[in-house]
Amino acid sequence: MVTPLQADSCGIDEQKTRQLVEHLITNGVAGLFILGTNGEFYALSTEEKITLAKIVVEQAAGRVPVFAGAGGISTQAVSDLANEFAKVGVDAVSIITPFLIKISDRELINHYQEIAEKNQLPIILYNIPSNTGINISEAAFKELVKNPKIIGIKDSSGNVENIKMYIENSRQRADFSVLVGSDSKILTALKLGADGAVAATSNVLTKTDVAIYDLYQSGDLTKAQVLQASIDEFRRVLKFATVPAVLKYSCDLIGYPVGKTKLPVLPAEGKYVAEIKEVLTTYGTIEGFEVQ
């Protein structure tokens, strides 16, 4: 889920947050994943993160679980934030691998084990090596999956072999979920045995992404593949600006305004606006929105 911000991009917009939460739940999402990469976790203050989590939990009202990104570089800071999330009712914390510094497997394992020991919430590992420079290796994963407090992994590597490795090495845990974070690989991952997806495109293409999962579960792989392929055009225009500028602009265009991005991320350049609108219009019938 993107993070709705006030007009000056300082502070969480409560009304718009509640509106977006309601829109997503009404259109069938099975959970809300806040403060991820598209949620601008890297740019928000601790106060803003806790405020957002509180609002989302209140609006969700137990209808779907709420996962919140508590990741950072400092083990202690991550643990402290995770404990704050527990106080406002978050169901689980997503913890990205540390970034900027290149740590060893031993340090990575210790990072997660320390957080698990000091935090009461279940932990979802978050692997996005293109952004962090660290890929959770098979050796590290085999060790981490032994910890009962670690209940899942979101893999945004885009590497099918990587996803397959996590699935194969967690089969002994019936309570462990592998979630794909690369929207282009939703159906592929499900076929391999993944449990679901954390899909940023679902902020806009909610019904489409939910239907990919539902059609897979019902065995209609042909229709699921058609819908999987259909999101490629939206994914293409998302690359017209730095994440999540086009995604947030698209939310505005379909009637669920979420404000601008936090600096240093700037809005998409004007030369792309017409094409973004044109592409969104093609999804209107399925999604039930009109581009404004």
Side-chain angles (χ1 to χ4, degrees):
M1 189 178 118
V2 294
T3 299
L5 298 173
Q6 294 176 7
D8 58 359
S9 294
C10 293
I12 307 301
D13 189 309
E14 180 173 350
Q15 181 181 355
K16 290 175 182 176
T17 298
R18 292 185 184 278
Q19 181 186 32
L20 182 58
V21 167
E22 206 57 36
H23 167 68
L24 293 171
I25 293 177
T26 299
N27 283 284
V29 300
L32 295 168
F33 189 105
I34 63 171
L35 298 169
T37 305
N38 283 278
E40 301 174 273
F41 82 93
Y42 51 83
L44 300 176
S45 68
T46 298
E47 182 181 359
E48 287 172 327
K49 292 177 181 180
I50 295 170
T51 297
L52 177 70
K54 186 172 185 291
I55 295 168
V56 172
V57 168
E58 285 180 356
Q59 190 64 30
R63 290 175 291 172
V64 297
V66 176
F67 307 146
I73 300 173
S74 160
T75 304
Q76 186 62 55
V78 172
S79 182
D80 290 345
L81 181 56
N83 281 313
E84 290 300 318
F85 285 153
K87 293 176 185 176
V88 300
V90 165
D91 295 285
V93 285
S94 163
I95 299 178
I96 196 170
T97 58
F99 38 90
L100 186 63
I101 55 171
K102 187 78 171 179
I103 61 175
S104 66
D105 274 2
R106 184 172 71 91
E107 290 166 325
L108 184 68
I109 292 166
N110 186 69
H111 175 71
Y112 282 113
Q113 303 285 35
E114 283 280 328
I115 294 165
E117 185 177 334
K118 296 177 180 178
N119 167 46
Q120 67 187 70
L121 289 176
I123 293 170
I124 300 167
L125 308 173
Y126 181 8
N127 189 59
I128 182 167
S130 62
N131 289 36
T132 65
I134 296 176
N135 188 66
I136 299 177
S137 69
E138 184 170 15
F141 184 72
K142 282 181 175 179
E143 191 63 32
L144 291 171
V145 81
K146 296 176 185 176
N147 191 318
K149 292 277 289 292
I150 298 174
I151 63 164
I153 184 168
K154 174 192 175 186
D155 180 47
S156 295
S157 68
N159 185 327
V160 173
E161 291 303 313
N162 211 50
I163 297 169
K164 188 187 298 184
M165 179 268 287
Y166 293 141
I167 293 169
E168 291 175 350
N169 283 287
S170 59
R171 292 190 189 280
Q172 74 275 21
R173 288 272 308 273
D175 61 341
F176 191 95
S177 296
V178 176
L179 305 171
V180 58
S182 302
D183 294 22
S184 63
K185 301 289 192 301
I186 297 173
L187 185 57
T188 298
L190 291 173
K191 289 178 180 178
L192 290 172
D195 299 280
V198 181
T201 54
S202 64
N203 284 278
V204 174
L205 305 183
T206 320
K207 292 179 180 178
T208 298
D209 286 347
V210 169
I212 294 170
Y213 178 84
D214 289 343
L215 287 166
Y216 169 78
Q217 292 295 332
S218 68
D220 195 338
L221 300 186
T222 301
K223 286 185 180 178
Q225 183 57 55
V226 169
L227 290 182
Q228 176 67 76
S230 76
I231 70 173
D232 287 347
E233 188 67 357
F234 183 51
R235 291 181 57 252
R236 180 182 68 81
V237 299
L238 289 178
K239 298 172 184 176
F240 286 170
T242 303
V243 171
V246 175
L247 186 58
K248 297 190 86 168
Y249 178 58
S250 298
C251 287
D252 291 353
L253 290 175
I254 66 169
Y256 293 92
V258 293
K260 296 179 180 179
T261 51
K262 283 264 194 181
L263 294 175
V265 178
L266 293 171
E269 295 180 64
K271 63 182 180 181
Y272 295 120
V273 168
E275 190 170 352
I276 294 168
K277 288 183 177 181
E278 182 181 354
V279 168
L280 283 173
T281 300
T282 65
Y283 295 99
T285 302
I286 293 176
E287 293 294 334
F289 58 65
E290 290 185 11
V291 178
Q292 301 174 6

